[in-house]
């Protein structure tokens, strides 16, 4: 029997219209365009406005574009996985809500929470389903980070943005698609980056609301230190495992948390900056949406057979890298 690989066959995305600039943030907290650009590399980010709108609304738009671009009917999808840390509700899963909004019925769907590494975890899971018989799997990263951001805290509110992006994963007998994956987690890091309340350990109360414990809490320097070393380590490790020299890598697609972390990863890999997808300046950190959003933006430049390394680091801690060969030329 021939080996089945799982290949990305299309990309869709959704970006909310509202642009929150560094200038506007400077009127809300004691910060500046200069500080944010030098320390993080973000100029602006998108914010989802509108009463009653959640991650699923953006996720559904990204999936609709994906289905349109790939010529897929909703009834052809046999699994949808949503990576998110900003689900519409703790339950039911946002994946089921996205399916409903897109008109996908009676299929398997579930959410994955691996924070900023969520897309890599979901893509790896999708690949395994595809290798065991699923034909069309949708992986969508959808984040309304503005819903868990404290806009009085300058250390976090400049970092995050809202967005969604989705990919279609299908089987192939060609030597393309997801070829290797390294995924890691270490719960010892959980105290450095978390939402302190609203879960079973500390359910919502007047006190948790007053203390703003339903927002992102981050010890930036501790996370930075671990992100720089771990993201670079797994990226170099996946290159070595697959005998990839820097010249063999067509693209590095890093999670977009901080331009300095991206630069450090590329440097350790020996990959030139012209081969690194970077859009943090326009969208900030959109957690599980950053990597598919890059693939969506660069899609027209990608060629079948391009060696691509995806890399991420996030809360948990979770981190990982994926080695894939791109599956199609957009012009075909
Ligand atoms: O995606 C999930 C994983 N997350 C990450 O990978 C994020 C990792 N961490 C980082 O990217 C960086 O640590 C941050 C961007 C969050 C912070 O940058 P930093 O260079 O580590 O700054 P810092 O926390 O060491 O703060 C330096 C100074 C402090 O002032 P003092 O104590 O030196 O007077 C902060 O209060 O910068 C101050 N500061 C700000 N100043 C202006 C912190 N935030 C701001 C701000 N504007 N927005």
């Amino acid at each position: 029997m021939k080996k089945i690989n799982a290949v990305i066959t299309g990309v869709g995305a959704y970006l909310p219209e509202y642009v929150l600039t560094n200038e506007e943030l400077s009127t809300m907290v004691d910060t500046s365009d200069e500080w944010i650009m030098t320390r993080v590399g973000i100029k602006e980010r998108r914010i989802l406005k509108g009463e009653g709108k959640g991650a699923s609304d953006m996720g559904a738009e990204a999936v609709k574009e994906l289905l349109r671009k790939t010529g897929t009917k909703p009834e052809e999808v046999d699994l949808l996985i949503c990576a998110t840390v900003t689900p519409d509700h703790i339950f039911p899963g946002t994946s089921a809500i996205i399916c409903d909004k897109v008109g996908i019925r009676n299929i398997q769907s579930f959410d994955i929470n691996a924070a900023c590494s969520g897309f890599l975890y979901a893509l790896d899971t999708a690949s395994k389903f595809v290798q065991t018989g699923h034909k069309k799997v949708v992986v969508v990263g959808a984040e309304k980070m503005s819903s868990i951001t404290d806009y009085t805290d300058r250390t976090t509110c400049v970092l995050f943005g809202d967005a969604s992006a989705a990919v279609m994963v299908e089987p192939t007998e060609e030597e393309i698609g997801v070829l290797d994956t390294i995924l890691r987690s270490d719960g010892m890091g959980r105290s450095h980056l978390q939402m302190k309340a609203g879960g079973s350990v500390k359910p919502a109360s007047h006190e948790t609301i007053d203390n703003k414990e339903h927002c992102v809490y981050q010890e930036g320097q501790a996370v930075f230190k671990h992100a720089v070393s771990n993201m670079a380590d797994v990226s170099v490790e996946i290159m070595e495992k697959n005998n990839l020299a820097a010249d063999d890598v067509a693209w590095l697609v890093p999670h977009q948390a901080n331009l300095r972390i991206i630069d450090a990863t590329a440097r350790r890999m020996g990959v030139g900056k012209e081969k690194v997808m970077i859009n943090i300046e326009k969208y900030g950190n959109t957690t599980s949406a950053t990597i598919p959003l890059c693939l969506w933006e660069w899609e027209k430049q990608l060629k079948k057979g391009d060696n691509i390394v995806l890399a991420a680091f996030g809360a948990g801690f979770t981190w990982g890298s994926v080695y894939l060969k791109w599956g199609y030329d957009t012009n075909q």
Side-chain angles (χ1 to χ4, degrees):
M1 222 172 73
K2 276 213 153 176
K3 182 174 168 248
I4 302 292
N5 285 318
V7 64
I8 292 176
T9 55
V11 197
Y14 176 79
L15 287 158
E17 270 174 34
Y18 191 83
V19 177
L20 176 59
T21 61
N22 289 350
E23 285 67 34
E24 186 177 352
L25 277 167
S26 306
T27 67
M28 297 155 65
V29 289
D30 181 15
T31 191
S32 65
D33 178 58
E34 203 265 329
W35 191 95
I36 303 169
M37 279 304 285
T38 328
R39 297 291 185 117
V40 205
I42 303 171
K43 194 101 200 138
E44 57 192 41
R45 62 293 286 146
R46 301 297 180 95
I47 303 294
L48 182 68
K49 299 274 185 184
E51 195 75 14
K53 294 242 184 260
S56 73
D57 294 288
M58 292 184 289
E61 290 308 314
V63 174
K64 278 182 202 162
E65 191 196 50
L66 176 70
L67 298 188
R68 184 179 52 71
K69 279 172 70 181
T70 54
T72 308
K73 296 192 191 79
E75 56 272 24
E76 290 177 295
V77 175
D78 44 13
L79 168 64
L80 183 142
I81 307 173
C82 177
T84 186
V85 294
T86 49
D88 284 15
H89 313 280
I90 286 187
F91 72 90
T94 301
S95 55
I97 303 172
I98 292 174
C99 284
D100 180 51
K101 288 181 176 171
V102 174
I104 299 173
R105 310 246 163 253
N106 299 322
I107 63 152
Q108 185 179 7
S109 76
F110 55 87
D111 290 8
I112 281 185
N113 177 345
C116 295
S117 312
F119 179 76
L120 299 191
Y121 272 71
L123 181 63
D124 178 57
T125 307
S127 301
K128 279 155 187 162
F129 273 97
V130 161
Q131 286 173 324
T132 53
H134 281 62
K135 297 285 183 265
K136 287 186 188 290
V137 178
V138 172
V139 175
V140 52
E143 302 285 8
K144 188 182 172 189
M145 292 305 293
S146 61
S147 67
I148 57 166
T149 299
D150 173 4
Y151 286 97
T152 64
D153 173 12
R154 71 174 181 173
T155 68
T156 52
C157 74
V158 302
L159 305 174
F160 299 101
D162 301 339
S164 176
V167 299
M168 183 70 75
V169 186
E170 297 185 59
T172 178
E173 289 185 356
E174 289 183 71
E175 196 55 15
I176 52 172
V178 176
L179 299 181
D180 198 11
T181 306
I182 301 172
L183 294 175
R184 303 255 157 80
S185 73
D186 182 354
M188 295 279 281
R190 65 190 180 280
S191 62
H192 298 305
L193 178 52
Q194 60 170 315
M195 189 199 285
K196 290 185 174 177
S200 57
V201 165
K202 206 175 199 188
S205 67
H206 290 292
E207 192 193 345
T208 62
I209 302 277
D210 290 344
N211 293 339
K212 299 205 159 93
E213 289 177 315
H214 299 273
C215 293
V216 175
Y217 168 82
Q218 176 169 250
E219 292 158 11
Q221 281 189 13
V223 179
F224 186 89
K225 214 174 69 200
H226 285 92
V228 164
S229 58
N230 287 331
M231 209 163 113
D233 282 353
V234 283
S235 304
V236 169
E237 190 181 333
I238 211 156
M239 285 172 71
E240 288 172 357
K241 253 180 91 187
N242 294 280
N243 296 316
L244 291 171
D247 282 348
D248 300 325
V249 176
W251 296 100
L252 165 65
V253 193
H255 170 54
Q256 314 275 311
N258 189 316
L259 193 52
R260 290 182 289 147
I261 299 173
I262 295 172
D263 287 346
T265 303
R267 250 194 328 270
R268 277 273 308 279
M269 295 169 73
V271 169
K273 207 150 181 197
E274 69 288 352
K275 296 203 279 188
V276 186
M277 295 188 195
I278 301 172
N279 58 15
I280 186 172
E281 189 168 329
K282 291 190 289 185
Y283 310 125
N285 183 349
T286 58
T287 305
S288 63
T290 57
I291 290 175
L293 195 57
C294 281
L295 294 174
W296 176 76
E297 245 195 306
W298 269 263
E299 186 188 22
K300 287 198 174 68
Q301 293 180 56
L302 303 179
K303 294 189 189 60
K304 186 171 178 180
D306 276 354
N307 287 314
I308 302 183
V309 175
L310 317 178
F313 181 89
F317 294 132
T318 58
W319 67 102
S321 58
V322 169
Y323 163 43
L324 60 84
K325 265 190 196 294
W326 194 246
Y328 59 95
D329 298 319
T330 304
N331 295 335
Q332 281 184 358

